[in-house]
């Protein structure tokens, strides 16, 4: 076999020490079954504090709204509810998420309701005093109707915009689209009609700010949208509306792979494999969007950028420091000068390093096709750890059962202590149930009874696509906290951020 093409995950302190507690993790899987999700609550609070530090550096005010859709956990939402109400809120995108947030301790004034909303969702959001992030002019009409019809108080709203254009006219060709089209929000070209509707509904709603959420990693695109919002807010004020906040959505990202070189080597090798210059790196030569056209690689790699120099709070800092194209000021300065609050809605990045998905190794066998490659069947399926679905590639961490060193001494030859390439397959009778289509390199061949830990899965990977096909159990989720040198755990739904006398959480 060639040099192993590892994509080892980035693992930081509390998560690293949890991974070091292999007997504890094994005992959890023994007791609660495979798959199993584990959440580290101290980390979500630390991540919020890191975002706050960026606000302070730029002397900005405003709130961090956790995008609930990234994870279903109650413990995470309760832990965040315990944070400073002025600093941390929650972004809910469905009636059930709103009910959940309220039940976890968020008061209505800390809630941002986003996404397209039905009447029930709008009513409850209005009733509890949430801020409604308006998806369309039609939604505004429906909300205003509910407020009047039910005698509700005036509702704070943000206008979500999309389709940002530049009208700088440099090339005389009129407008230029700055961000790709979105299904959500009101296109900027229709903004005038939206302002008119907001004026018409002024008895029912109060415009408190403008918003966007761009599903891109591009800093430039986001800086331009932010600047456009500041300009549009000036236009609003000229009409007598008084927006004070810009909500720049989420998408601050996570760096999953620890080493830039490993990411570089793997992606280069993928291109070589697609051209036939080396053995396939994937199940049946899957190209992740790349293809061979007459000896040239074509297409774009449909993968999450595994190694990222700036992610999460660092990415926000970069964005706020970038010179803005039209006004020539950094977005941070622009917001400060206009005395606007900055709201953000991080999902993935707020739960960075907060979660693990554990799976027991059920069985290991040779593929019979590729020399040296093995099939490792896990007690989980692709829905339980949907990294592949989101284009996130990284190696699981092998947690051997018992003492691995002793085992390695006992069995010689291939597989005992040597790196191997394996295909990770799931527990469904479905050819397509691969945990990843990538050939995964592990430091040694796993055995039945070992546990594989998928790291950093709290954002979208652990429960977003979980299902109960074939009546396979879906993962339970547990919350863990450090207690001296050891760990304690409780079911996710039983966690409350309370310290009881004696210092142990409930
Ligand atoms: C999904 C979503 C987010 C969170 O995005 P991340 O990439 O997880 O940070 C924030 N706001 C809105 C409106 C969303 O739809």
């Amino acid at each position: 076999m060639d040099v192993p093409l590892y994509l080892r995950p980035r693992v930081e302190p509390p998560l690293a020490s949890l991974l070091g507690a292999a007997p504890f993790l094994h005992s959890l899987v023994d007791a609660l079954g495979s798959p199993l999700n584990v959440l580290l609550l101290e980390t979500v609070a630390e991540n919020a504090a890191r975002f706050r530090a960026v606000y302070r550096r730029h002397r900005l005010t405003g709130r961090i709204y956790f995008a609930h859709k990234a994870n279903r956990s109650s413990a995470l939402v309760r832990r965040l509810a315990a944070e400073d109400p002025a600093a941390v809120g929650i972004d809910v995108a469905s009636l059930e998420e709103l009910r959940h947030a309220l039940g976890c301790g968020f008061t209505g004034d800390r809630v941002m309701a986003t996404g397209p909303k039905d009447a029930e969702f709008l009513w409850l959001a209005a009733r509890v005093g949430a801020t409604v992030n308006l998806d369309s002019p039609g939604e505004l009409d429906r909300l205003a109707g509910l407020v009047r019809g039910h005698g509700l108080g005036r509702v704070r709203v943000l206008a979500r915009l999309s389709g940002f254009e530049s009208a700088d006219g440099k090339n005389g060709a009129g407008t230029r689209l700055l961000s790709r089209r979105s299904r959500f929000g009101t296109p900027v070209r229709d903004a005038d009609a939206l302002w008119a509707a907001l004026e018409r509904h002024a008895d029912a709603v109060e415009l408190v700010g403008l918003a966007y959420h761009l599903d891109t990693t591009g800093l430039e695109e986001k800086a331009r949208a932010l600047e456009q919002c500041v300009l549009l807010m000036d236009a609003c004020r000229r009409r007598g509306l008084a927006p004070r906040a810009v909500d720049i959505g989420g998408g601050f990202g996570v760096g999953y792979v620890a080493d830039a070189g490993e990411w570089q080597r793997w992606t280069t090798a993928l291109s070589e494999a697609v051209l036939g210059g080396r053995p396939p790196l994937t199940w049946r030569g899957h190209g992740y969007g790349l293809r061979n056209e007459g000896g040239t690689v074509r297409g774009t790699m449909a993968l999450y950028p595994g190694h990222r120099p700036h992610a999460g709070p660092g990415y926000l800092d970069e964005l706020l420091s970038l010179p803005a194209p039209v006004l020539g000021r950094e977005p941070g300065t622009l917001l400060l000068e206009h005395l606007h609050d900055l709201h953000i809605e991080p999902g993935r990045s707020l739960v960075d390093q907060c979660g693990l998905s554990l799976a027991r190794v059920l069985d290991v066998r040779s593929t019979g096709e590729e020399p040296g490659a093995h099939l490792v069947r896990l007690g989980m399926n692709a829905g339980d750890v949907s990294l592949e679905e989101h284009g996130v590639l990284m190696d699981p961490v092998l947690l051997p059962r018992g003492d691995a060193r002793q085992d390695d001494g006992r069995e010689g030859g291939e597989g005992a202590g040597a790196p191997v390439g394996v295909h990770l397959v799931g527990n469904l009778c479905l050819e397509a149930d691969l945990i990843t289509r990538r050939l995964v390199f592990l430091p040694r061949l796993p055995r039945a009874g070992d546990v594989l830990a998928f790291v950093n899965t709290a954002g979208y990977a652990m429960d977003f696509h979980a299902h109960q096909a074939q009546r396979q159990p879906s993962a339970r989720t547990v919350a863990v906290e450090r207690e001296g040198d050891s760990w304690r755990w409780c079911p996710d739904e039983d966690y409350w951020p309370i310290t009881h006398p004696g210092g142990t959480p409930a």
Side-chain angles (χ1 to χ4, degrees), residues 51 65-70 91-93 112-115 133 160 184 212-216 222 247-253 304 344-351 459-460 464:
F51 273 110
Y65 290 90
F66 171 52
H68 191 343
K69 77 165 184 276
D91 156 2
V92 295
M112 175 81 73
T114 62
N133 198 317
R160 176 163 172 186
F184 306 107
Y212 63 85
H213 168 72
L214 302 177
D215 191 15
T216 171
K222 289 187 176 169
D247 177 347
I248 64 172
F252 303 97
Y304 191 87
I344 59 174
E345 301 165 354
R348 189 189 296 274
S349 56
L350 200 61
V351 292
Y460 303 103
F464 200 90

Side-chain angles (χ1 to χ4, degrees), residues 283 365-375 423:
W283 183 250
R365 61 194 168 102
S366 155
T367 60
E369 289 175 31
E370 300 156 68
H374 290 76
L375 291 180
H423 289 289

Side-chain angles (χ1 to χ4, degrees), residues 19-88:
L19 280 171
F24 170 67
L25 295 175
H26 268 277
S27 72
L28 285 181
V29 176
D30 288 345
L32 301 166
S34 171
L36 181 71
N37 295 327
V38 182
L39 290 171
L40 255 171
L41 297 164
E42 60 182 284
T43 306
V44 74
E46 279 164 19
N47 289 343
R50 287 190 192 106
F51 273 110
R52 291 313 294 171
V54 176
Y55 274 68
R56 273 198 301 282
R57 200 168 315 136
H58 293 268
R59 290 176 291 146
L60 291 171
T61 50
R63 258 203 198 127
I64 301 162
Y65 290 90
F66 171 52
H68 191 343
K69 77 165 184 276
N71 198 295
R72 291 186 206 170
S73 156
S74 295
L76 277 176
V77 176
R78 290 172 190 163
R79 184 65 191 80
L80 288 168
E83 292 291 294
D84 176 5
V88 177

